[in-house]
Amino acid sequence: MSPVAELPIHIDSTMRSCYVGCAQKFYREFCLGLRPVAQSIDLHAGGCFANAIERVGRAVHGAGHSNEKALEYAHAGFLQDWGDFEIEKDTPKTLDRTWGAVEDYFDHYGVKTDHIQPHLIEGEPSYEFTFAIPLEPAVEPDIRGYDARAYENAFPSHPSGEPFFYSGRFDRLGEYSTKTIIQDEKTTTSIGAKWAEQWDLRGQFLGYIWAGQHHGIRVDTVAIRGVGILKTKYTQVEAIKTFADWEVQRWHEQLRRDLWAIRRCWDQGYFDYDLADACNSYGGCPFRLLCTSRTPDQWLDKYVVRRWNPLFKNPIADEPLLAA
Amino acid sequence: MPEISEHFSHLEDLEVHELQARREELKNSAPEGNFENLDEESLAELLQITRLLRKKAAVGKRKAKASAVKNADTIDDIL
């Protein structure tokens, strides 16, 4: 049975990035909800890692526990989150190695000695900032068609008649040298010499800043911490990026243009194919099997439907991971 | 890598499969299947087990690497 196509009303940076890479991939992954049967170890390990960092931070800064006690509590939660996940490829991101990365992270940065301390709201560290911001003004396409320039500053509405929402979540707010900043960790299996440069134009972080500012938080800086999990060692790196107002405004306008394009694809019933680099990036598109077949429906049993929800800790889970 | 607590030093004598079995045993004893409901002693032991498993895996890799070097062809073997 073919999956039912639904145009998501909550759009996040992952979805937007996917669309600009290949519209057809966006359709298959986020409108049909298709995913390869084997779950991604990268998403799973990254989620478990992020939850553990949060648990340690809450236990020390919130509940006042010692570092060791905080690690014990976080470790139990980590095992709970990891569950019975089966790893289907050779990867350094095993349960034990990924937990080791958590301990290495705090060996490197410290908890109370970290140069970025948690931003407190009413005495509690501010972890897990989730947002869903309506993109307004929102208008239905009319005789002007789908050219964003024809609608001044308006976004397209979702086919339901509601506005689209720009949604997502970032790990936490921190205090760095008297500034409130956004923090995000990224687990990876390799950190090259130019790791920090890839974040200079990153829409994900521009979106976080826009969302934070929309909620009245004076923020223009993101601290990105890279955690390299290799088979025999860990690597900890940090990049601190400040974005100017004009960069955030450009991102916002680009989002508006992209949404008009997505709405056009949806209404016309056709999402364009990249037929170029997107097919081969990140180890190859998971939908190559469908795109290389004249009858893609016969291959649908190689996929499951697991819809992406940017408001969940684990965006492809049916339910959110257990909270601390 | 953190040192193994003296209170749990007895775990260092266990083999990898025994440590994994003990970890499963502790997990299975969790009230309502929630590991975070375990008592303090069990939480501490769980953490020590994971640390030991990493330590033993690292030692295993170093031994394998040393063995590979030791068994490598010498110039006399080649000539």
Side-chain angles (χ1 to χ4, degrees):
Chain A
M1 192 168 79
S2 294
V4 175
E6 302 169 6
L7 182 61
I9 195 168
H10 289 275
I11 301 292
D12 72 353
S13 64
T14 299
M15 298 156 93
R16 185 245 156 215
S17 171
C18 180
Y19 174 79
V20 299
C22 177
Q24 180 64 208
K25 183 174 187 281
F26 169 89
Y27 175 71
R28 289 190 161 136
E29 186 168 349
F30 299 112
C31 296
L32 295 179
L34 295 176
R35 300 209 151 257
V37 172
Q39 293 196 51
S40 163
I41 179 60
D42 297 319
L43 269 178
H44 186 73
C48 292
F49 177 90
N51 285 349
I53 299 299
E54 178 182 336
R55 287 188 173 106
V56 171
R58 284 187 188 275
V60 172
H61 295 291
H65 290 297
S66 67
N67 286 11
E68 184 68 3
K69 194 56 70 178
L71 284 168
E72 287 170 9
Y73 293 139
H75 176 255
F78 176 88
L79 292 178
Q80 194 82 45
D81 291 342
W82 194 277
D84 296 322
F85 190 91
E86 287 187 22
I87 299 174
E88 303 221 355
K89 64 175 187 178
D90 186 31
T91 174
K93 292 180 183 176
T94 61
L95 181 156
D96 295 329
R97 291 289 303 161
T98 304
W99 173 258
V102 173
E103 299 217 51
D104 190 78
Y105 177 98
F106 288 111
D107 283 345
H108 184 82
Y109 292 108
V111 184
K112 290 192 171 174
T113 54
D114 191 331
H115 61 276
I116 303 176
Q117 287 294 299
H119 176 80
L120 300 179
I121 297 177
E122 295 177 5
E124 289 293 320
S126 52
Y127 285 95
E128 196 194 322
F129 187 96
T130 304
F131 55 89
I133 302 167
L135 295 171
E136 292 170 321
V139 299
E140 273 289 293
D142 54 31
I143 58 166
R144 288 172 285 181
Y146 297 89
D147 187 341
R149 294 171 297 180
Y151 294 91
E152 212 170 332
N153 64 338
F155 283 82
S157 56
H158 183 267
S160 65
E162 299 296 314
F164 281 100
F165 289 78
Y166 188 72
S167 304
R169 51 180 304 282
F170 55 80
D171 291 338
R172 63 192 172 281
L173 288 166
E175 291 296 324
Y176 174 70
S177 190
T178 74
K179 282 181 78 164
T180 300
I181 67 169
I182 291 166
Q183 281 186 276
D184 197 70
E185 272 87 27
K186 298 217 175 277
T187 52
T188 177
T189 51
S190 68
I191 293 183
K194 296 193 173 184
W195 176 86
E197 290 178 21
Q198 67 183 301
W199 313 121
D200 289 345
L201 292 163
R202 186 79 166 185
Q204 175 188 13
F205 300 133
L206 288 158
Y208 286 169
I209 286 171
W210 178 77
Q213 292 175 351
H214 183 87
H215 284 275
I217 301 168
R218 290 185 62 184
V219 64
D220 63 4
T221 300
V222 182
I224 308 114
R225 286 183 170 171
V227 183
I229 303 175
L230 291 80
K231 286 196 173 174
T232 56
K233 67 174 182 175
Y234 301 107
T235 313
Q236 306 284 351
V237 294
E238 181 180 80
I240 297 181
K241 302 285 181 180
T242 298
F243 297 94
D245 286 345
W246 66 266
E247 293 180 282
V248 177
Q249 285 157 14
R250 180 178 64 185
W251 166 87
H252 187 260
E253 173 60 11
Q254 187 60 57
L255 176 67
R256 191 180 76 87
R257 294 172 67 95
D258 292 335
L259 277 170
W260 276 107
I262 288 171
R263 181 65 202 262
R264 172 181 58 78
C265 289
W266 176 263
D267 288 350
Q268 293 177 352
Y270 188 86
F271 283 79
D272 302 280
Y273 294 74
D274 178 52
L275 303 178
D277 293 339
C279 305
N280 302 306
S281 59
Y282 298 109
C285 175
F287 301 113
R288 283 177 65 101
L289 185 60
L290 303 180
C291 290
T292 51
S293 171
R294 289 189 70 174
T295 52
D297 281 359
Q298 71 175 351
W299 299 109
L300 287 177
D301 62 345
K302 304 298 182 192
Y303 300 87
V304 294
V305 174
R306 203 177 283 129
R307 295 192 184 269
W308 181 270
N309 188 328
L311 302 177
F312 281 179
K313 273 191 178 205
N314 181 354
I316 58 166
D318 290 328
E319 291 180 12
L321 292 173
L322 292 173
Chain B
M1 197 177 296
E3 290 298 316
I4 304 302
S5 160
E6 208 174 303
H7 181 67
F8 295 105
S9 58
H10 62 280
L11 293 172
E12 294 198 74
D13 298 329
L14 298 182
E15 300 288 337
V16 167
H17 72 274
E18 290 172 312
L19 285 167
Q20 288 169 337
R22 176 60 183 155
R23 186 161 68 182
E24 288 306 306
E25 192 182 327
L26 284 168
K27 283 160 64 179
N28 290 336
S29 72
E32 295 163 7
N34 189 341
F35 309 154
E36 290 165 287
N37 289 340
L38 286 166
D39 57 67
E40 303 284 327
E41 177 84 0
S42 298
L43 288 176
E45 186 178 354
L46 264 179
L47 179 58
Q48 297 301 317
I49 289 173
T50 297
R51 285 174 173 168
L52 256 178
L53 284 168
R54 274 182 52 221
K55 188 177 173 183
K56 286 180 183 284
V59 168
K61 283 193 177 74
R62 280 199 293 273
K63 281 184 179 170
K65 198 174 173 182
S67 174
V69 170
K70 190 179 170 188
N71 294 333
D73 287 339
T74 64
I75 191 70
D76 288 335
D77 294 328
I78 297 168
L79 289 175

